[in-house]
Amino acid sequence: MNKILVLKNDRVGDLANSLKGINSLLNENRNQQIEIILSDVSKDLSFLFKIKNVKITYLNYSLNIFDKVKLFFKVITSNFEKIYILAPKNIYFYLPLISSAKIFAITITNKIKSRPTKYLRSKLHYYKDNNR
């Protein structure tokens, strides 16, 4: 069984706007093991993902150093086949350097700080700029 990681560690409003896309991803991968990382501020919406093959993990919204180490350790040890970056935090764009997973990312066009460098973009399997 393949393993998929979805990184959606942002605010409740952003999670609500992404529900359609996440549910589509879940439906397309019904037979896969899926882990979704949500922010601690989104705990109240976790009931939306109560599907038997989905595991929810919570990290601090601001990703303190402990959370970053925990995330990198999880990626290194879990052998994910695919990783979806749906919350453009800079630290996520370094995941291709430690993982052989196919990594898909959405970036925000008008926020330079939320986009990977050219080198890191070349390591992503696919990325899309999102105009807000």
Side-chain angles (χ1 to χ4, degrees):
M1 182 178 291
N2 298 327
K3 294 173 81 175
I4 297 172
L5 177 64
V6 178
L7 300 168
K8 190 61 181 155
N9 185 36
D10 50 10
R11 301 229 183 251
V12 175
D14 292 327
L15 177 62
N17 285 329
S18 301
L19 285 177
K20 186 176 179 181
I22 293 172
N23 283 326
S24 176
L25 180 71
L26 296 177
N27 288 331
E28 291 172 11
N29 297 286
R30 287 182 192 268
N31 299 325
Q32 314 302 326
Q33 261 185 307
I34 301 172
E35 183 167 352
I36 301 175
I37 294 184
L38 296 176
S39 67
D40 52 354
V41 297
S42 297
K43 279 186 179 180
D44 293 341
L45 293 180
S46 63
F47 71 91
L48 297 169
F49 306 110
K50 295 293 183 197
I51 302 170
K52 70 177 182 177
N53 63 331
V54 174
K55 177 184 174 189
I56 307 284
T57 303
Y58 301 99
L59 293 179
N60 187 303
Y61 171 75
S62 60
L63 287 178
N64 59 38
I65 190 69
F66 176 74
D67 290 327
K68 291 174 184 178
V69 170
K70 183 178 172 182
L71 173 66
F72 275 73
F73 184 74
K74 177 182 289 295
V75 169
I76 289 169
T77 60
S78 296
N79 296 323
F80 291 106
E81 180 187 333
K82 295 178 184 174
I83 298 173
Y84 293 88
I85 300 172
L86 304 180
K89 297 194 184 247
N90 281 343
I91 191 71
Y92 293 161
F93 298 120
Y94 291 97
L95 293 177
L97 302 177
I98 63 165
S99 174
S100 61
K102 290 182 179 177
I103 300 179
F104 304 82
I106 294 178
T107 62
I108 300 172
T109 303
N110 60 353
K111 289 191 177 181
I112 300 296
K113 290 171 36 177
S114 298
R115 291 192 319 210
T117 63
K118 261 187 181 177
Y119 174 73
L120 292 175
R121 264 189 306 230
S122 72
K123 300 294 182 190
L124 296 171
H125 183 72
Y126 177 81
Y127 85 98
K128 171 84 172 126
D129 279 333
N130 182 15
N131 291 316
R132 279 192 173 179

